[in-house]
Amino acid sequence: MIIKLERLKIQSRRSEEAINITALVEEAIAQSGVQNGLVHVMTTHTSSGLVVTEGIPCLEQDILTHLARLFPESEDYHHRRYLDYDGRLGFNADAHLKSVVGGISCSFPIENGKMARGSRQTIYFMEYDGPLERTCLIQILGE
Amino acid sequence: MIDFHTHPVLIRELVAQDPSFERAAREVFYIGNNFQPFETFLLQMDVAGIERAVLLPVACRRARQVDVGTNEQIAELCAKSPRLIGFASVDPGVKTAPSDLERAVRTLHLEGLKLDPALQDFDSGGPEAWAVYEAAEALEIPVLIHTGLSWAPGSALERGHPLRLESAIRRYARLNFVLAHFAWPWVWEAVALAMKYPNVFLDTSCLYYDSPKEFFEFVFTRQIPITLVERTLANQIVFGSNYPRVEIKNMVRALRALPLTEGCLNKILRVNAERLLARGH
């Protein structure tokens, strides 16, 4: 049984952005040597997310647009206050709520050294409050 | 557009170079966010539409055992990008402060002075600071001084009262004082100083509760009338974000949401800062 954990650094460059990380996850699987098992991917940040959808720009745009419609920046949020544990103001509740609704992780089976996924399924790191350097965890289990 | 108030406290390269910098950021400046590569700083400027930013250290080793960025570190960061405008900081409680400032300006090419009476624990209006103001005046650089509430643990609120500065403002009439954070909550006192003394400027980096939009709307339309900004203070306000306490993009959006004319916004976002940074102004 092999268990490997990789920390993937992602530099987002915009305030909101969908970044295709499918190839990076495939590469981590290839480097792990695991032929059959499971890969789990998770963002470590609560104002970002991870989604799986068809890998086309119109859908990237739709996800961001409609999450923004659900959680407008102008809405009234309790989070808008000084966070005394952090030395900062919290006013990005919209980003946190997008993360909650959109999800923060995904899992795929590994078969013959590759992700077993649908031909359209693409893994996106979702930036909701960038630009920032972010970290995703990729855990690979198998043999 | 120019951001007149940013801090380098989350730049990871500084932690890698100087391990004490992490303590300065976490315990003295007091911020809990993840350290970020220098590139993130420039990207944060990009998404906000900011072309240049003033980068501020605080020389608080005497009071806090560690500086929140040194003049040398600021100069090194500025050497990496022409978009950054480095200010120096010296400790008025140290006898070499005037010569330290002269060296920072003439040798390191820093373009202004940052003081924080709350973090540095000195009386901004007292004689101990006069030699530093005198040096800044002779060097023809602006001084950006913390006024208003400071989040830094252990700092005294009274150190940030803007009226403490009045004697220095009168004594050094050729030195431009930029009062940070609009001196919140002492906004009217800061406004009165700016109305009375042409060498007083105010920066917009005030955010103490609610969102930037809500706070700006409160300060600039209810705490003081927006007409005061548009008609009387338009030439004496500079945009400052206080990044990374708050992201620059949010502060720009908050300022732009105010009912100000484009002409006034242009002065706050660019013209006044350029005037302050022009030596000999």
Side-chain angles (χ1 to χ4, degrees):
Chain A
M1 177 82 163
I2 300 169
I3 302 176
K4 289 205 168 169
L5 182 66
E6 185 178 326
R7 287 175 170 77
L8 177 66
K9 296 285 183 192
I10 299 166
Q11 176 72 59
S12 64
R13 311 189 78 80
R14 284 181 275 181
S15 196
E16 294 191 305
E17 195 174 0
I19 300 171
N20 183 343
I21 60 168
T22 314
L24 298 170
V25 178
E26 289 281 20
E27 191 182 318
I29 294 168
Q31 285 181 357
S32 73
V34 169
Q35 290 300 303
N36 294 290
L38 188 78
V39 60
H40 183 71
V41 190
M42 186 189 90
T43 175
T44 62
H45 308 277
T46 57
S47 58
S48 70
L50 215 77
V51 302
V52 176
T53 189
E54 187 170 354
I56 45 179
C58 54
L59 277 175
E60 295 170 7
Q61 198 176 345
D62 281 338
I63 293 167
L64 291 170
T65 300
H66 291 279
L67 282 174
R69 186 173 55 79
L70 279 174
F71 306 110
E73 191 202 359
S74 58
E75 193 53 76
D76 187 14
Y77 299 108
H78 291 293
H79 187 51
R80 289 180 173 172
R81 64 183 185 91
Y82 178 63
L83 307 173
D84 54 1
Y85 59 88
D86 217 12
R88 274 178 50 95
L89 276 294
F91 43 77
N92 59 346
D94 55 324
H96 288 295
L97 294 176
K98 288 169 189 171
S99 174
V100 169
V101 169
I104 62 159
S105 66
C106 69
S107 297
F108 282 93
I110 298 169
E111 186 182 41
N112 299 324
K114 290 184 179 301
M115 266 190 288
R117 60 185 171 96
S119 61
R120 307 270 172 109
Q121 283 183 317
T122 304
I123 306 171
Y124 282 102
F125 172 83
M126 302 300 294
E127 177 58 81
Y128 300 128
D129 192 18
L132 286 168
E133 185 194 77
R134 303 292 207 167
T135 304
C136 269
L137 299 180
I138 304 175
Q139 181 143 55
I140 298 157
L141 304 93
E143 51 192 22
Chain B
M1 296 197 293
I2 298 172
D3 185 342
F4 216 81
H5 195 133
T6 72
H7 298 277
V9 291
L10 291 183
I11 295 178
R12 185 186 297 145
E13 285 85 342
L14 294 185
V15 182
Q17 176 195 67
D18 173 9
S20 73
F21 191 82
E22 181 166 0
R23 194 174 78 74
R26 297 292 188 231
E27 296 173 25
V28 179
F29 188 85
Y30 192 59
I31 190 160
N33 288 61
N34 292 333
F35 290 104
Q36 290 284 320
F38 176 63
E39 183 184 14
T40 297
F41 195 101
L42 299 178
L43 289 167
Q44 289 280 345
M45 291 170 63
D46 288 343
V47 297
I50 292 292
E51 297 146 37
R52 303 181 71 205
V54 170
L55 205 51
L56 305 168
V58 185
C60 53
R61 185 173 295 274
R62 176 182 52 83
R64 312 282 166 184
Q65 291 76 54
V66 67
D67 293 321
V68 181
T70 64
N71 296 338
E72 287 75 14
Q73 286 169 332
I74 294 294
E76 281 173 29
L77 291 172
C78 291
K80 291 183 181 183
S81 170
R83 299 174 66 189
L84 299 179
I85 303 157
F87 273 30
S89 185
V90 296
D91 183 353
V94 172
K95 282 190 177 162
T96 57
S99 58
D100 292 344
L101 180 61
E102 186 170 355
R103 178 182 161 273
V105 172
R106 298 206 191 284
T107 311
L108 300 176
H109 309 294
L110 300 181
E111 298 180 53
L113 169 64
K114 160 70 176 177
L115 295 175
D116 187 333
L119 262 185
Q120 295 177 295
D121 197 21
F122 73 95
D123 181 357
S124 57
E128 66 176 311
W130 289 356
V132 172
Y133 296 139
E134 199 171 301
E137 189 179 57
L139 290 162
E140 300 180 325
I141 56 169
V143 52
L144 188 147
I145 187 158
H146 173 91
T147 53
L149 193 157
S150 170
W151 292 121
S155 59
L157 260 180
E158 63 174 357
R159 289 291 198 207
H161 200 292
L163 287 185
R164 296 187 85 97
L165 275 167
E166 188 177 15
S167 57
I169 289 164
R170 287 159 59 95
R171 189 180 178 96
Y172 301 100
R174 289 187 298 111
L175 174 60
N176 288 320
F177 289 83
V178 182
L179 277 51
H181 315 299
F182 233 80
W184 195 93
W186 300 293
V187 170
W188 272 114
E189 286 86 343
V191 164
L193 287 170
M195 290 173 71
K196 186 169 172 66
Y197 302 107
N199 59 327
V200 172
F201 292 71
L202 309 172
D203 93 24
T204 66
S205 63
C206 56
L207 176 63
Y208 291 94
Y209 50 83
D210 293 340
S211 71
K213 269 185 189 169
E214 289 168 326
F215 197 81
F216 273 28
E217 194 269 336
F218 170 69
V219 172
F220 298 114
T221 71
R222 286 186 278 155
Q223 201 164 6
I224 61 172
I226 193 75
T227 48
L228 185 61
V229 176
E230 177 78 35
R231 298 171 187 165
T232 302
L233 298 175
N235 295 315
Q236 287 167 277
I237 299 175
V238 290
F239 170 75
S241 68
N242 204 18
Y243 177 77
R245 281 257 193 254
V246 47
E247 279 69 33
I248 306 169
K249 63 184 180 183
N250 300 91
M251 295 297 264
V252 170
R253 265 189 241 141
L255 181 71
R256 287 199 174 281
L258 292 173
L260 293 167
T261 61
E262 269 306 312
C264 182
L265 285 171
N266 189 41
K267 286 178 178 178
I268 293 171
L269 285 162
R270 179 190 303 279
V271 176
N272 296 338
E274 286 175 345
R275 201 153 43 91
L276 275 169
L277 293 166
R279 298 286 285 276
H281 162 71

